[in-house]
Amino acid sequence: MDIEESGKQIGEKLFLLLNEEQKNALMQYILEQGACHGTVFNSCHTSFAAKKNPLTEIQEGELYLCLEHRTVRVRERMINLTTKEFDILALLIANPKRVFTYELITDLVWKEDCDFYSRKAIHNHISKLRKKLRFEPDLPNYIESVAGIGYKFEHL
């Protein structure tokens, strides 16, 4: 057994002796230092990170969204979205049935003041997003227009 393998086994055994608070503090320190890769804690980090940072996953019927991985699937088919399309969908799906005005979408997604161009940009992104999400005619329209106001996520 080489020194690296021996060190790894010792590190894993020491990690098991720590209480939950000590593990959290140690892992936070390691993550902040960026020293997780190639250390004796590497094998512990994977299971720890999964427990500490669960994924934000939203399932609405056949539509699935994972915020951290920025993935969207419909009927298990991966949907490729642009950054803005994903951000708009994430905003709407996280707040179902809530109407978002054009101005609010612009503020939250583009982080800019709303003007006429922004409304057109939002409309264009929503139009493309709807087409991507409804690749088969029997799929629902997940994004509903609220005339003159904005959009909302509606799953019937």
Side-chain angles (χ1 to χ4, degrees):
M1 178 180 333
D2 63 13
I3 293 174
E4 185 177 329
E5 185 63 31
S6 176
K8 182 177 178 181
Q9 287 181 353
I10 292 168
E12 288 173 359
K13 288 177 184 173
L14 289 174
F15 191 80
L16 294 174
L17 296 175
L18 302 175
N19 66 35
E20 199 62 34
E21 186 178 329
Q22 292 168 324
K23 288 178 185 177
N24 287 338
L26 178 60
M27 290 310 298
Q28 186 62 39
Y29 173 78
I30 291 169
L31 291 172
E32 287 172 0
Q33 299 302 311
C36 215
H37 301 290
T39 69
V40 294
F41 301 103
N42 213 12
S43 62
C44 301
H45 172 262
T46 303
S47 61
F48 176 81
K51 291 177 189 171
K52 185 176 180 204
N53 299 318
L55 297 175
T56 307
E57 299 173 301
I58 300 171
Q59 181 83 41
E60 286 290 338
E62 297 180 273
L63 174 64
Y64 166 86
L65 179 138
C66 177
L67 195 57
E68 289 77 12
H69 293 156
R70 296 187 66 87
T71 57
V72 174
R73 290 191 312 260
V74 176
R75 291 189 177 159
E76 298 306 316
R77 177 189 213 182
M78 193 65 81
I79 307 298
N80 293 319
L81 301 179
T82 66
T83 302
K84 295 297 184 203
E85 289 169 350
F86 182 88
D87 292 345
I88 292 169
L89 179 61
L91 174 67
L92 297 176
I93 198 171
N95 301 279
K97 299 181 189 269
R98 178 179 174 187
V99 177
F100 284 88
T101 64
Y102 293 102
E103 293 79 13
L104 193 51
I105 294 171
T106 303
D107 287 344
L108 296 172
V109 175
W110 273 264
K111 299 175 183 26
E112 298 174 2
D113 289 332
C114 183
D115 57 15
F116 181 73
Y117 171 77
S118 296
R119 279 186 174 223
K120 288 189 91 154
I122 292 168
H123 176 75
N124 290 338
H125 281 85
I126 294 283
S127 177
K128 291 175 184 174
L129 183 55
R130 284 176 169 158
K131 287 177 186 172
K132 290 178 180 181
L133 295 176
R134 194 166 189 225
F135 56 86
E136 291 179 2
D138 64 325
L139 285 167
N141 285 317
Y142 293 104
I143 300 172
E144 186 178 312
S145 296
V146 180
I149 298 173
Y151 299 95
K152 67 179 180 175
F153 182 86
E154 186 74 49
H155 180 254
L156 303 174

